[in-house]
Amino acid sequence: MAKIAYILLCHKDPLAIIRQAERLTAVGDYMSIHFDARAKPAQYQQIRAALKDNPNVTFAKKRVKCGWGEWSLVQATLNALTAAVDSFPRATHFYMLSGDCMAIKSAEYTHRFLDDHDADFIESFDYFQSDWIKTGWREERLIYRHWFNERTQKKRFYWMYEAQKRLGITRNIPSDLQIMIGSQWWCLRRRTVEWLLEFVKKRRDVVRFFRTTWIPDETFFQTLVRHLVPEVEIRCRTLTFLMFTDYGMPVNFYNDHYELLLSQDYLFARKISPEAKDLKRRLGLLYAAEGVQFQISNEGRSLFKFLSGRGRIGRRFATRFWETESTLGRERELLIVVCKKWHVAKRVLDRIRQVTNVPAIEYLFNEEDTPLPDLGGIQNTLEKRHRHRRALMRMLFDYFETDRLIVCMDPGNIELLNDFASDRSVTRILEIECQFSDDYLIGHAMRVGLAGEQTSQDTLERLLPTIRNNMVHESDRIRDAQFEFLNRMREASSEEENAAVLGRFLNIPAEKAQQIAETAYLFAD
């Protein structure tokens, strides 16, 4: 059975570190601690004294002063790893942790998981080809030498960079290495760690290279594991669940996140808020528990994106510079069918085509595979369609040789609706108001990744009101925009009432509007 040596890098809160060490070693696992040399000596002595009688705890023989983005973090990890390998010959896996991490599965589950997956778990993406680095330096981290810390010695850091750049002083990446990048939270097998430590002893040139790279804890282990271990034995993922906000800050977890954390396909989570005392208590008890069954739904990231995004809805009132004087044409009429239930809108659109022969296109701004003519590449991706929306629409009018065109949009596309409604052309909007059962909302949550087959009923019950309110909010924004030609067709209305709405929207005789309104199963799910 797997036995884990946890590699803990920490710099504060000695009581939390002591509790974490006692909790994780109580079931027979091990821990090797590196406590930052910058921290107060009294705190380190407090930890040593509390854990001195625990045979499953060891300490890095040499402590270093750690700084964000520095080689010191890698050196601290290597020191703790060396101590763990020497002290715990029965350890089969080495798991990197911080003081903010806590287990979100039981030890029983964790050991069984590692027994079933004979592999190293580490994010390891190609440094230059992947999009792991979202903004900032890429090549500059490697080809220039960085002796100073950007956070504590900013002037020296950038002076040294500019001096090397001006003088053309660069260096080569070790020729036999493919530089990789990924999260610093990994779990490696014993054989891999022994190979890695042996490699570090032999290849001092590689160590010298990484000593002066910037943020090497994101590249050192990721590169060497990929260099030493066959690709088939690497799982390019972390077993620690962590998320970041739009501003690049780690997301903190609180007391009400307990069920959510347990349902994620991870073994640990980071960061647990210091204020989440009840969450820490419950997770602490969980690690030693036996017979616990976990339902993995893994919707955490999509849920966070959905819920946090609701508070960041903005509008663009000014015309983008490349759209100045751009218009669909004064004589043209754009008819937009807006509906959250896409299948309902598509049925309406299909009947409109049959009855009126007006060209109609389904959700071209929402579905990549919406059938579109070849317009020179502008139609290839959703990103291009959004960016060149007016140009795209003009080209569609020209392609169909028409002055009337119908398209479908999601109620969430308020920016598009505002943009087209402000054009010199005539824009008519038909909002189709549907009723949403709990079963439909659950299906919707699963389709968009907010829930999965294993999502607990408790999570769903808390999620459904939010989804329902979000749909109401989208509809309210359409009403608040006060569009000049806005019509509303309702599932709860009679066929006659909906026919009258369709007649106004399409400007067609009542008989034709009635044919569309009385379409069988129009609102069926």
Side-chain angles (χ1 to χ4, degrees), residues 149-213:
N149 189 299
E150 191 265 349
R151 291 191 172 183
T152 59
Q153 299 171 293
K154 188 179 289 287
K155 288 184 178 180
R156 290 182 177 180
F157 180 89
Y158 286 107
W159 183 89
M160 186 60 69
Y161 162 69
E162 292 294 344
Q164 293 178 83
K165 189 177 178 181
R166 281 197 306 271
L167 296 172
I169 301 174
T170 60
R171 59 178 177 173
N172 294 323
I173 297 169
S175 59
D176 59 332
L177 293 184
Q178 178 186 4
I179 303 299
M180 311 298 286
I181 192 168
S183 167
Q184 62 269 53
W185 312 111
W186 38 253
C187 178
L188 303 177
R189 296 168 297 174
R190 184 180 192 90
R191 182 189 66 178
T192 301
V193 169
E194 290 174 343
W195 284 352
L196 192 147
L197 293 177
E198 187 64 27
F199 182 90
V200 168
K201 291 178 182 177
K202 292 180 178 178
R203 292 292 301 273
R204 305 311 298 175
D205 60 316
V206 172
V207 174
R208 282 195 301 272
F209 173 79
F210 280 103
R211 274 185 181 277
T212 51
T213 60

Side-chain angles (χ1 to χ4, degrees), residues 67-123:
W68 187 90
E70 293 180 10
W71 167 259
S72 55
L73 288 174
V74 177
Q75 188 61 62
T77 305
L78 290 172
N79 293 352
L81 266 178
T82 301
V85 169
D86 293 343
S87 302
F88 309 126
R90 296 181 60 197
T92 60
H93 294 78
F94 298 79
Y95 196 121
M96 181 77 174
L97 289 178
S98 76
D100 298 317
C101 298
M102 285 198 72
I104 56 174
K105 297 291 186 293
S106 63
E108 182 181 64
Y109 179 99
T110 299
H111 294 152
R112 186 169 61 246
F113 179 93
L114 294 177
D115 285 337
D116 293 342
H117 298 84
D118 185 18
D120 296 307
F121 289 86
I122 182 170
E123 283 189 352

